[in-house]
Structure formats: structure tokens, C-alpha cells
Amino acid sequence: MPKAGIGTAPGRASARPGRAGRPTARRTIGSAHAFLYLAPAALIYVGFAIWPALHTAGLSLFEWDGILPPVWVGLENYAEVFTKPLLLKSLGNSFVLILFFSVIPIILGLIMAGLLMGYARRGLTFFRVVYFLPQVLPMVVVGITWRWMYSEDGTLNQGLRLIGLDSITRVWLGDFSFALIALGFVGTWCLAGLCMMLFLAGAQHIDTSLYEAAKLDGAGPFRRFLSVTLPGIRGEVTIASVICTIAALTSFDLVYMTTDGGPANQTVIPGLLVYRLAFKDGEIGTAAALAVTLTVLVILVIGAIRRVAKERE
């Protein structure tokens, strides 16, 4: 008996690890193969995204003109970002542009999506193409086109003169009070169609029985939109908010092509100042500090949007 007990237990003990070990070994080999396939993409991402970001963060701690050896200054460049009026003004302008690039396009996108879903059944494809057209145009083309439309003899002033409003015509992008607003409406025109397409795509996945039930309860089109469509496209609204907010905070090409920050820096934004400081003024450390600040600002704003959306879900 003692021999059987002693002999049996070790046998069972040695068999269990063998059966359990084979799947573990397969999983290990499978994970190794997965990492091997991901390695090229990971190396490219680290080389072209992570490493430049870390290098920029390192440069923000130095005073460097790009030629002479850099000098360690610690956080002085960040202090300059938050105390220099022009740099602070650029951050403030970015928050103003969020209103025109994000809030207004989302509201217009919801209105257009609601109208197209409720009434414009015929010609729906035509409206989709027309509203989405700004998204397929290069921003350089958009900037040049709107610069002409906002000029003294542009389409906007011609239309105002045609209806007798000559007194309010002006060079819109050259006006101190209206330049930033005029620039913001260009962003509204570009992004409203994208928001509408996102909302229409999301609404197609809503169960039609919900609309029928709401209709039987006596809900009209507006009430059905508020009670059924809007909750059903909450995820698409969050995605649109993230995309449009990033576009507002990181817009460079549109500002560069339309105003170049003018008049008198009224439309200057952080992205444009990073370009000026790094490639024109030779203040690479300050430009890097502003770039890092802008990156942190984007992460904080996007994180706040996602947190609010998650709490509502």
C-alpha cells in the first residue's frame, strides 16, 4: 500500500503539468509570433511618433537657436509660455476656435441630419455629397478660396451690397474685430458636413421599432429626434466632438493660408507660433515648450470630453 500511494501520486503530479503545459507553450509561441508581426509597425511608430515627441520635450528644457550648443534653462521656456502675452493670446484664440470648429458644427450637423432623416428623402445622396465636399478639398484650396470670398470685392461683400448692406462690408480677414470670427466660420463650413455624415451613419443603426413606438405614443418628428435619435447617436456625437476639437486646437494650414496670424496677431494660434519660433526666430526651446503645452492641452480637453460622455452613458 505505501508503495502504491507513493508511486501513484508522483505519476499524477507529473502528468498534470504535461497536459497543462502544452497549451501554455502554444500560447507563448502565439504571443511571440504576434509581437513579431507587430514589431515593424511598433518600430515605425516609436521612431516617427514617440521618439520625436520625447526629443521635443527634451528640447523644451534648453535654450537653443539651432546652431550653437544648447544651454540648459530648465522650466524657463514653460514660464515664458504662460507669461508672454502673445503666447497666451494664441492659447486663448484656440479656445475661441473650439466654438466655431466644434460646438457650432455639431449643432448644425444635428439639425441637418434631423432634417434629412425626417423630410429630405428624395435627393439625400445629393445633400450628402454637397455637405461632405469640404472634407475632400485640401485645406490649402479652402484657405485660398475663402480668402478671396472675404476680400473687398469677394462674394460675401458683393452679396451684402446686392441687398443694400453696403455699410457693413469690409475686408473681413483684415478687420481687427472680425478676423478671428471670419476664420472660425471657415472651420464651421469645413466640419459641419463631417458631423452630419457621422450622425446620419449612426442613426442608420437605430432600431426602427423605437421610432414606430414613439410615433404610436403621439411623438412628432422633433420629439422623436430628441427621444430616439439623439440618445442613439451619442457615441457619434462624442467622436465628432473629439475630431473637431483636435482640428480647432491644431489648425495650422488654414490660418497660415488665410491670415498668417494677422492682422496684428489677432488670429495667431499655437501651431503657427511654433512654426515662427522654430523656423524664423531661432527660439527652438520656446517653440518646443509651446508644442508640449499644446499637446498636453489637447490631451486634457479630449480626456474631459470622453469622461463626460462616459459618465452620461
Side-chain angles (χ1 to χ4, degrees):
M1 292 299 292
K3 287 183 180 179
I6 294 172
T8 305
R12 290 176 182 173
S14 62
R16 286 175 183 170
R19 288 196 296 268
R22 284 193 290 272
T24 304
R26 291 196 191 100
R27 283 197 295 269
T28 303
I29 295 173
S31 300
H33 285 169
F35 282 115
L36 192 62
Y37 285 123
L38 290 174
L43 287 175
I44 293 174
Y45 184 74
V46 170
F48 290 94
I50 302 298
W51 170 247
L54 295 176
H55 187 61
T56 301
L59 286 177
S60 67
L61 304 175
F62 291 87
E63 182 180 356
W64 187 37
D65 61 358
I67 300 175
L68 297 176
V71 178
W72 171 266
V73 293
L75 298 177
E76 287 185 12
N77 290 325
Y78 290 96
E80 187 177 355
V81 168
F82 290 103
T83 55
K84 199 170 183 178
L86 182 59
L87 301 184
L88 275 178
K89 184 180 180 60
S90 68
L91 294 174
N93 287 344
S94 293
F95 281 104
V96 174
L97 289 182
I98 288 177
L99 173 68
F100 292 95
F101 279 62
S102 180
V103 178
I104 297 178
I106 288 175
I107 294 173
L108 290 178
L110 288 172
I111 293 173
M112 290 189 294
L115 292 175
L116 290 178
M117 288 173 57
Y119 300 102
R121 295 295 181 186
R122 298 181 62 181
L124 185 60
T125 305
F126 170 77
F127 286 109
R128 285 179 174 176
V129 172
V130 169
Y131 290 137
F132 193 71
L133 189 60
Q135 283 298 309
V136 301
L137 294 176
M139 198 54 72
V140 175
V141 176
V142 173
I144 294 174
T145 303
W146 277 91
R147 191 173 62 188
W148 174 77
M149 292 177 66
Y150 277 140
S151 65
E152 178 66 27
D153 296 326
T155 306
L156 180 58
N157 285 334
Q158 290 178 11
L160 292 174
R161 294 190 186 100
L162 192 64
I163 59 177
L165 296 176
D166 303 59
S167 58
I168 65 172
T169 59
R170 66 197 69 208
V171 181
W172 296 92
L173 292 176
D175 190 281
F176 282 81
S177 302
F178 291 95
L180 187 60
I181 297 174
L183 189 64
F185 277 118
V186 180
T188 301
W189 178 77
C190 289
L191 294 168
L194 173 66
C195 295
M196 183 204 70
M197 292 296 292
L198 284 173
F199 301 153
L200 284 176
Q204 291 178 351
H205 298 287
I206 298 176
D207 191 351
T208 55
S209 63
L210 297 176
Y211 289 103
E212 295 171 358
K215 196 172 182 179
L216 289 174
D217 289 340
F222 182 68
R223 185 63 185 174
R224 291 200 297 272
F225 181 79
L226 289 181
S227 302
V228 180
T229 306
L230 202 53
I233 60 173
R234 187 177 299 161
E236 284 73 16
V237 173
T238 303
I239 294 172
S241 302
V242 171
I243 294 174
C244 295
T245 303
I246 292 175
L249 293 176
T250 61
S251 59
F252 166 78
D253 41 9
L254 179 63
V255 179
Y256 183 77
M257 291 305 302
T258 51
T259 63
D260 196 18
N265 294 318
Q266 290 298 309
T267 60
V268 72
I269 57 170
L272 186 65
L273 278 186
V274 169
Y275 169 74
R276 285 184 185 173
L277 291 170
F279 299 105
K280 290 186 176 180
D281 300 338
E283 299 181 22
I284 296 178
T286 308
L290 182 58
V292 172
T293 304
L294 179 61
T295 303
V296 173
L297 184 63
V298 170
I299 294 173
L300 290 177
V301 172
I302 299 305
I305 293 173
R306 291 180 61 84
R307 186 175 181 82
V308 170
K310 190 174 181 180
E311 288 178 353
R312 290 184 177 179
E313 290 176 358

